[in-house]
Amino acid sequence: MSERTEHKVEKSIQTDFSKDMSYGDYLQLDPILSSQHRLSDHHDEMLFIIIHQTSELWMKLILHELTAATTAITNGELERSFKMLARVSKIQQQLIQSWGVLATLTPAEYLEFRDQLGSSSGFQSYQNRQIEFALGFKNARTLSVYAHDEKLYPLLEGSLQAPSIYDVTVREMHRRGLSIDASVLERDVTQDWEWNESVEKAWVEVYRDVDTYWDLYELGEKLLDIGSQQQMWRFNHMSTVERIIGQKMGTGGSSGVNYLRRVLDHRFFPELWTVRTSL
């Protein structure tokens, strides 16, 4: 680019936003960037706040994509859901990597402001709970954490009562002629998903006849990507917590690392894992 052209391009850049919307206006950066309020004077509390705030923003986008993908699958538009589910997997990678940034916080540094957190804890993240519900990991008892909040409680209750993305996937498999037990199709969707033989056999048929069921096959693989990444996020969460607080109890009253380790035993979309052995 010649110097003259470069100068012309620079002169064309808009600098007067007295009447037009700017980048900061569109993104509402003022309220976002003024929402980091340290409760201590410790330098590293800013890291702790921003990691969790950005994680919640990514979770908001995951829920946005999962909701749209669930609707698409319900309407039999499987291919439309693929881009949304692929995006969820990419977002999960961002969340997984964020634990590495938080892990730069040492135990001594965290102790400088940990008491300021009071009883607040990541366990109380209602968006993370909604994501688990959307993926089929249901537990009505967790709603008690939000009983004090007149807005959050009905929101979480609605998420609990809504069919998960796996529920609507299995219903679509049935609609496509694959044999699914009536007990699965009519199950109480507020309960955690449990492995079912008829569902595994249906997936076996899909994986053995990819040409006939290509879209269901692709959907299964995309769901497995998400389930696998969610487990990786959980594992990195546990490892980071252990690195920073060891075996101490969590600020919200949980057993901390021991609780996070037990959650790792849960597996999303179990038939998509066991079908590998059955094939």
Side-chain angles (χ1 to χ4, degrees):
M1 181 181 291
S2 69
E3 184 177 346
R4 178 176 297 179
T5 305
E6 185 177 355
H7 180 68
K8 188 178 294 185
V9 171
E10 292 297 325
K11 286 185 65 176
S12 69
I13 293 177
Q14 182 172 345
T15 58
D16 182 4
F17 291 96
S18 57
K19 296 181 180 179
D20 293 323
M21 179 174 63
S22 70
Y23 172 82
D25 295 333
Y26 174 70
L27 294 177
Q28 299 188 50
L29 289 182
D30 280 349
I32 291 174
L33 298 179
S34 60
S35 295
Q36 293 73 47
H37 305 293
R38 289 183 294 168
L39 297 181
S40 74
D41 293 328
H42 197 272
H43 172 85
D44 293 310
E45 189 181 358
M46 183 65 76
L47 162 69
F48 191 83
I49 292 171
I50 289 177
I51 285 291
H52 289 85
Q53 286 184 339
T54 53
S55 292
E56 290 293 334
L57 284 172
W58 283 126
M59 288 180 190
K60 182 173 184 177
L61 186 52
I62 285 178
L63 286 167
H64 178 70
E65 300 296 341
L66 282 178
T67 299
T70 301
T71 299
I73 296 167
T74 301
N75 295 333
E77 300 172 334
L78 273 59
E79 291 190 27
R80 187 166 175 265
S81 74
F82 295 163
K83 177 64 177 292
M84 302 163 189
L85 296 177
R87 184 173 290 159
V88 169
S89 293
K90 292 295 185 182
I91 298 167
Q92 288 175 307
Q93 291 173 20
Q94 295 293 321
L95 288 168
I96 290 166
Q97 291 298 319
S98 71
W99 292 123
V101 182
L102 186 60
T104 63
L105 181 68
T106 68
E109 291 163 346
Y110 183 47
L111 286 173
E112 291 290 332
F113 62 86
R114 187 180 192 234
D115 288 346
Q116 300 295 330
L117 274 63
S119 297
S120 63
S121 164
F123 180 82
Q124 299 147 19
S125 168
Y126 71 89
Q127 290 196 126
N128 184 48
R129 193 69 58 203
Q130 284 182 291
I131 289 171
E132 291 184 336
F133 287 175
L135 297 179
F137 184 28
K138 304 288 186 77
N139 185 345
R141 288 178 298 176
T142 60
L143 264 63
S144 61
V145 175
Y146 315 99
H148 68 286
D149 195 308
E150 294 180 356
K151 291 183 179 179
L152 282 186
Y153 189 85
L155 177 67
L156 270 293
E157 193 171 37
S159 298
L160 179 74
Q161 294 172 356
S164 72
I165 195 166
Y166 200 48
D167 281 301
V168 300
T169 294
V170 172
R171 291 174 187 176
E172 177 63 15
M173 295 171 78
H174 172 70
R175 192 188 70 80
R176 294 277 294 274
L178 293 162
S179 180
I180 305 291
D181 289 346
S183 61
V184 175
L185 299 171
E186 300 166 2
R187 80 181 198 92
D188 180 358
V189 298
T190 67
Q191 301 299 307
D192 188 22
W193 182 276
E194 294 184 359
W195 176 89
N196 177 267
E197 184 178 5
S198 70
V199 175
E200 180 177 317
K201 287 182 176 179
W203 280 119
V204 167
E205 192 168 344
V206 168
Y207 276 76
R208 284 182 175 164
D209 191 356
V210 174
D211 290 339
T212 301
Y213 299 109
W214 179 85
D215 53 353
L216 285 171
Y217 166 77
E218 184 69 13
L219 176 58
E221 287 296 288
K222 285 195 164 20
L223 290 177
L224 194 70
D225 286 343
I226 290 171
S228 178
Q229 300 252 55
Q230 196 68 10
Q231 286 296 81
M232 290 176 63
W233 180 85
R234 286 170 163 181
F235 179 80
N236 282 27
H237 183 189
M238 179 199 70
S239 299
T240 303
V241 170
E242 186 169 22
R243 175 171 177 157
I244 296 174
I245 70 169
Q247 298 298 317
K248 292 185 179 73
M249 286 186 62
T251 49
S254 76
S255 57
V257 170
N258 288 331
Y259 168 78
L260 297 174
R261 185 173 287 116
R262 287 197 303 273
V263 174
L264 284 173
D265 291 335
H266 171 269
R267 179 167 276 180
F268 297 96
F269 322 132
E271 295 86 358
L272 283 170
W273 291 97
T274 56
V275 73
R276 265 84 182 148
T277 305
S278 298
L279 287 172

